[in-house]
Amino acid sequence: MSPEPAVSDWFVSSYSGPRNNSCVEVRFTNQGTEVRDTKNRAAGTLAFGADRWSAFLRALRG
């Protein structure tokens, strides 16, 4: 039996905008990063490998 992946607690992304009420939550795992909609957590998550998550953040920073 393989060990469970290490998972951080969910936190609200610093890129979420309080003015437009669009918040996403993020957590880190051994496999990468997961993202979900704060208002619709039951809808599931998007999972990104570490390399894709880094590329995404670089694109946001421009």
Side-chain angles (χ1 to χ4, degrees):
M1 185 159 145
S2 61
E4 289 294 314
V7 176
S8 69
D9 290 333
W10 288 100
F11 61 94
V12 175
S13 169
S14 61
Y15 289 96
S16 291
R19 288 178 280 146
N20 60 10
N21 202 24
S22 59
C23 295
V24 295
E25 294 177 320
V26 178
R27 74 175 173 182
F28 302 112
T29 70
N30 285 339
Q31 289 75 34
T33 304
E34 294 180 336
V35 180
R36 68 182 180 187
D37 183 344
T38 302
K39 294 181 286 181
N40 191 6
R41 293 178 179 137
T45 63
L46 296 174
F48 300 91
D51 58 337
R52 295 292 182 186
W53 185 250
S54 293
F56 173 68
L57 292 179
R58 279 193 304 273
L60 286 177
R61 292 178 186 136

